Amino acid sequence: MSLHSITPDFSLASATHTGPVWRFDWLSPVRCRLLLALLLFAGALSRVIFLTQNCPLDLSADEAQYWDWSRNLDLSYYSKGPAVAWIIRASCALFGDNMPAVRFPSVLIGVGVALCTYWLTARLFKSEKLALGAVVLCHFVPMYIAGSFLMTIDPPFVLCWALATCFGVVALTGEKRWAFPVAGLFVGLGFLAKYACFLWFLGFFLFLLIEPAYRKWLRTLWPYLAVLVAGVGGLPILIWSVRNGWISLKHVEGDITASGFQWTNLPEFLLGQAGLLSPPLFVILIAAIVMVVRRWGDAALWPARYLLVIGGSFFLTVCGLTFKTVPQPNWPGPSWFTLVILAAWYIGQANLTVATWRRWRGFVAATGVIGLMVMAFSQNSAALYPTIDSIHRYFKPGKPARIRSYDPSGRLRGWQQFGSAISDAMADMRPGTFLLAGEYQTAAEMSFYTRGQPLSYTIGTYLKHPGARGRYSQYDLWADRSLEPDKTTLLGKDAIYSGYWFEEIEKSFEHVTKLPPVEVWVNGSLIYVHDLYRCEKFKGIKKPVDGGTSF
């Protein structure tokens, strides 16, 4: 996908010239690419330094869980495909089982997504200046900032979505038939990260259907070959699912039908997405969408329609799910790849006219300011904890602030301290002491941050009362993590338990002693309190068979 044939003309066919504001004539294609290289290098270097120089943010529960998966490589896993585990294991094989190694791939993937953004923008709008602007704009999006160093399923998912979108353009604009199966290949690889990647075809086929110039492809085998290739890419998950009774399908069904009809979820979801995208940029995007819709028949605007349909179809699908469940904030993530480019294109049009630029320059400036604030806050949020505490105590005297309710990064703090406390407690216990948690998230953090990184076990799905019972997880599928008396090798061994207290836990051991709780304080503020128990001589515990387990 060469850029050499792309002309550097910043003017757009649909713009109305009433006097340029910023022409950026000095930005030749070569200079644009040099600035891109400097931007991406500086960004990647800063993230590597952040991760390796006393990073205050420990692994999230999801990151720790995926790391634990990576120690047991398989064709797939309970709730997700295998891609994230494979990637993390490759990185840890090179750099060791530590926090930076788990997260290094997200830094590299972020560079890949930025390159896709640049190439796609330049290819569609024939402007490398606009392409550079789109990349810069992405660096100010709060969702992108958070995802630039967290290694979850979303970075590889978004990268594969972006590559499929780019090769879709190659197939359509360059009449390159080979690009169809290549796009399908990346959809298949993305499916290994997150099942929702297959919905890329929804937008792509919808675009072919509604765009007369490209509808002819529907009468050929090539788009359908792309679907076939993607399906082949998903074979590992299919094989694993057959072997495990389609349990992942039950999990997905539980996620998207978690509640009855709830129309109030949609407004809350949209407000949350506006915050994650950046409120002023969200307004710009709405204006861009309105413009594209109002000028739908304009042949020159087909690139904008491509971006809108690819991203918008996925976003609307997630919006539809809000009537049955509460979507996680990251669910629409890949839709923002094309929609942010659409917003950048719209800003570029406004920049060509004095009147329209004056209308939007405040929103553009606000987007940059908010992005810079989010960058600073994401790395130094603890500096605001005393202020948060003071404000909270003013309105609610006598009640300490739950920092984790105000700062999402609070969930990523204190796990090293937690692991050290467990390690110290285990030092005074018999050899063979194992880690036990009420929830799989805590089990994963215990395993990663306890010295020696021993295996951990979960007891949540063994509880009798359905209301207290935890969700199913990968820990329930691994044979060597069973707690059943006739299946486990842990009988007679001691354990350190962390989590809520339940009667079954006491009955599963001969003796249980509550240890001093682990209080996590950051900058004078209480973040979390972990309860620990010393449990002696495990007797095993049977899972209930009443079908009350949540998938």
Side-chain angles (χ1 to χ4, degrees):
M1 294 184 289
S2 174
L3 287 168
H4 292 292
S5 61
I6 299 173
T7 60
D9 182 16
F10 187 55
S11 61
L12 300 173
S14 55
T16 302
H17 293 266
T18 59
V21 181
W22 292 340
R23 296 294 294 188
F24 295 111
D25 291 331
W26 60 277
L27 276 178
S28 65
V30 172
R31 288 173 176 170
C32 284
R33 297 175 199 181
L34 286 174
L35 288 174
L36 174 70
L38 288 173
L39 175 65
L40 298 185
F41 176 77
L45 180 62
S46 67
R47 291 182 181 96
V48 170
I49 293 174
F50 173 68
L51 293 176
T52 55
Q53 302 297 319
N54 299 316
C55 176
L57 303 180
D58 298 328
L59 292 185
S60 67
D62 280 346
E63 290 176 297
Q65 179 189 200
Y66 301 146
W67 166 81
D68 212 357
W69 291 5
S70 78
R71 299 198 292 178
N72 299 268
L73 293 179
D74 205 342
L75 294 178
S76 190
Y77 298 90
Y78 165 70
S79 58
K80 304 292 186 299
V84 65
W86 295 350
I87 293 170
I88 289 175
R89 182 43 42 199
S91 180
C92 289
L94 291 173
F95 304 106
D97 287 283
N98 52 66
M99 180 273 292
V102 172
R103 289 174 169 168
F104 281 157
S106 67
V107 178
L108 186 61
I109 290 172
V111 172
V113 173
L115 290 173
C116 289
T117 299
Y118 187 93
W119 184 91
L120 183 62
T121 307
R123 179 68 175 245
L124 288 176
F125 299 111
K126 304 298 187 291
S127 172
E128 295 198 41
K129 299 173 187 177
L130 182 59
L132 181 62
V135 173
V136 172
L137 186 63
C138 288
H139 278 69
F140 293 121
V141 175
M143 182 182 294
Y144 280 18
I145 294 171
S148 63
F149 62 86
L150 298 179
M151 188 54 205
T152 64
I153 59 173
D154 291 301
F157 172 34
V158 172
L159 177 60
C160 290
W161 183 284
L163 287 166
T165 305
C166 290
F167 278 98
V169 169
V170 173
L172 298 179
T173 62
E175 299 280 329
K176 305 294 185 181
R177 297 177 179 179
W178 57 264
F180 283 101
V182 173
L185 172 64
F186 284 112
V187 172
L189 293 175
F191 183 75
L192 296 179
K194 195 169 184 177
Y195 308 140
C197 197
F198 237 87
L199 290 174
W200 182 84
F201 287 116
L202 173 64
F204 189 68
F205 275 89
L206 182 59
F207 177 78
L208 295 182
L209 182 64
I210 65 178
E211 199 67 26
Y214 301 107
R215 195 175 300 153
K216 63 181 181 179
W217 288 109
L218 292 174
R219 298 188 294 272
T220 71
L221 291 176
W222 294 100
Y224 310 103
L225 179 60
V227 177
L228 179 62
V229 171
V232 172
L235 279 178
I237 294 177
L238 177 63
I239 295 171
W240 185 92
S241 297
V242 170
R243 291 175 178 174
N244 289 273
W246 300 97
I247 195 168
S248 296
L249 185 61
K250 297 177 183 178
H251 167 74
V252 172
E253 181 184 8
D255 267 356
I256 64 178
T257 60
S259 63
F261 183 82
Q262 297 285 341
W263 70 269
T264 56
N265 289 343
L266 180 58
E268 296 175 3
F269 172 73
L270 291 176
L271 286 174
Q273 290 301 302
L276 289 173
L277 184 63
S278 183
L281 183 57
F282 194 75
V283 174
I284 294 173
L285 177 58
I286 292 174
I289 293 173
V290 170
M291 175 184 174
V292 173
V293 172
R294 290 179 62 183
R295 301 174 59 181
W296 194 264
D298 189 339
L301 290 185
W302 78 263
R305 288 193 292 274
Y306 180 78
L307 297 174
L308 177 58
V309 174
I310 293 290
S313 60
F314 185 78
F315 185 79
L316 289 177
T317 300
V318 178
C319 286
L321 294 177
T322 63
F323 297 109
K324 293 292 292 180
T325 188
V326 180
Q328 296 297 318
N330 63 308
W331 282 12
S335 62
W336 298 126
F337 169 71
T338 54
L339 294 179
V340 171
I341 295 175
L342 182 66
W345 164 77
Y346 184 75
I347 294 170
Q349 285 205 331
N351 188 31
L352 289 178
T353 64
V354 174
T356 52
W357 172 245
R358 286 174 178 170
R359 185 188 311 156
W360 292 108
R361 61 186 176 185
F363 287 85
V364 176
T367 299
V369 171
I370 291 174
L372 292 173
M373 292 175 61
V374 170
M375 290 180 197
F377 182 78
S378 65
Q379 300 185 15
N380 304 284
S381 59
L384 298 179
Y385 286 179
T387 302
I388 294 174
D389 255 337
S390 299
I391 295 174
H392 180 88
R393 292 178 186 276
Y394 177 81
F395 289 101
K396 296 182 179 180
K399 293 184 177 181
R402 295 185 62 186
I403 295 296
R404 284 156 49 113
S405 301
Y406 297 96
D407 176 21
S409 72
R411 294 175 174 82
L412 280 67
R413 297 180 184 274
W415 292 110
Q416 289 189 64
Q417 180 183 338
F418 175 60
S420 296
I422 293 175
S423 300
D424 293 341
M426 290 181 69
D428 297 327
M429 299 179 69
R430 294 189 301 160
T433 296
F434 63 96
L435 304 177
L436 184 64
E439 300 174 332
Y440 66 89
Q441 298 97 328
T442 304
E445 298 280 15
M446 292 174 76
S447 189
F448 188 85
Y449 284 106
T450 299
R451 282 194 291 271
Q453 296 181 323
L455 298 182
S456 56
Y457 303 78
T458 60
I459 200 171
T461 53
Y462 290 79
L463 303 178
K464 292 181 180 178
H465 193 282
R469 200 172 303 161
R471 291 193 64 169
Y472 226 74
S473 72
Q474 183 63 36
Y475 292 91
D476 295 286
L477 298 183
W478 282 325
D480 63 347
R481 308 295 178 98
S482 174
L483 302 177
E484 299 267 359
D486 57 342
K487 298 179 182 178
T488 185
T489 59
L490 302 174
L491 296 180
K493 295 185 177 181
D494 299 341
I496 291 289
Y497 170 73
S498 177
Y500 294 111
W501 182 251
F502 297 103
E503 182 181 358
E504 290 97 324
I505 298 170
E506 188 167 11
K507 291 181 178 180
S508 301
F509 293 88
E510 288 191 6
H511 184 69
V512 177
T513 305
K514 194 174 190 305
L515 299 174
V518 180
E519 295 184 348
V520 177
W521 292 81
V522 177
N523 203 15
S525 297
L526 182 63
I527 302 296
Y528 201 77
V529 178
H530 298 277
D531 290 325
L532 290 182
Y533 298 84
R534 176 184 177 132
C535 308
E536 299 177 40
K537 296 183 179 179
F538 183 57
K539 295 184 290 186
I541 181 173
K542 284 188 172 294
K543 275 190 177 180
V545 291
D546 59 4
T549 299
S550 171
F551 290 96

